[in-house]
Amino acid sequence: FLEAAATAPETCVSDLPVLSPAERAALLFEWNDTEAPASAASRAPLVHELVAEQARRQPEALAVAASRESLTYGELAARAGSLARFLGRIGVGPEVRVALCAGATVHRVVGSLAVLLAGGAYVLMDPEAPPERLAFLVADSGAAAVLTERSLAGRFGSCAVPLIELESGEGAEVGSWPIS
């Protein structure tokens, strides 16, 4: 920048190049090479992949604890996997958003992991928000379903998407997540 200003002092500051030609080429072409395929080996593992790996290595290790509840990695993987299969059956996958409204409980972790396993994206919602705000957020985000705790289900009475209670699958067979 300073070299260009000294070379052409009559040039407006806004017209002076900020980058050298080599820096400009690196920024525009080398670092922006979107044609290069991303391989699984070259990327960092995703959170649900890390949880699955830990569940395979140490299924009895503590994974999450909140309030008076806790889950081992094996339990977390089983519950999240069961819910993920259910979410897949109702259409959750890439580009599909799921609203997730749960307190600081193991259910929030199970729900978020399940959505990721199903290939979707979750929209985390504040359980303290007024029902009107929750309904607006569900509609505005384009969520295909709402995952919530049983104690919060009544706050979604006006939503037009399936409501899934996170506790519904506890102790149940795989795929038994009822929609309220």
Side-chain angles (χ1 to χ4, degrees), residues 62-72 75-76 79 102-110 149-151 166-168 170-171:
L62 180 64
V64 60
S67 302
R68 293 177 295 276
E69 298 176 280
S70 64
L71 294 174
T72 66
E75 293 167 334
L76 175 60
R79 285 181 49 187
T105 65
V106 297
H107 304 296
R108 182 189 296 176
V109 178
V110 169
E149 294 171 307
R150 189 171 290 127
S151 63
L166 288 162
E167 298 94 339
S168 295
E170 290 180 4

Side-chain angles (χ1 to χ4, degrees), residues 69-141:
E69 298 176 280
S70 64
L71 294 174
T72 66
Y73 277 97
E75 293 167 334
L76 175 60
R79 285 181 49 187
S82 173
L83 180 55
R85 285 186 291 279
F86 177 80
L87 292 172
R89 284 196 301 272
I90 65 168
V92 175
E95 306 295 322
V96 177
R97 290 170 299 284
V98 175
L100 174 60
C101 186
T105 65
V106 297
H107 304 296
R108 182 189 296 176
V109 178
V110 169
S112 60
L113 188 59
V115 174
L116 295 175
L117 284 167
Y122 61 89
V123 179
L124 193 57
M125 299 192 172
D126 180 3
E128 300 295 320
E132 299 80 20
R133 175 76 177 149
L134 294 172
F136 169 79
L137 290 172
V138 170
D140 190 54
S141 69

Side-chain angles (χ1 to χ4, degrees), residues 13-94:
V13 173
S14 62
D15 293 334
L16 292 172
V18 177
L19 302 173
S20 71
E23 291 171 326
R24 182 171 163 69
L27 179 67
L28 294 177
F29 303 107
E30 293 173 37
W31 299 347
N32 197 26
D33 184 7
T34 58
E35 295 298 315
S39 68
S42 69
R43 67 166 172 77
L46 303 174
V47 69
H48 57 281
E49 294 169 341
L50 291 171
V51 170
E53 177 59 31
Q54 187 66 15
R56 279 189 290 278
R57 284 191 317 210
Q58 294 183 303
E60 297 304 317
L62 180 64
V64 60
S67 302
R68 293 177 295 276
E69 298 176 280
S70 64
L71 294 174
T72 66
Y73 277 97
E75 293 167 334
L76 175 60
R79 285 181 49 187
S82 173
L83 180 55
R85 285 186 291 279
F86 177 80
L87 292 172
R89 284 196 301 272
I90 65 168
V92 175

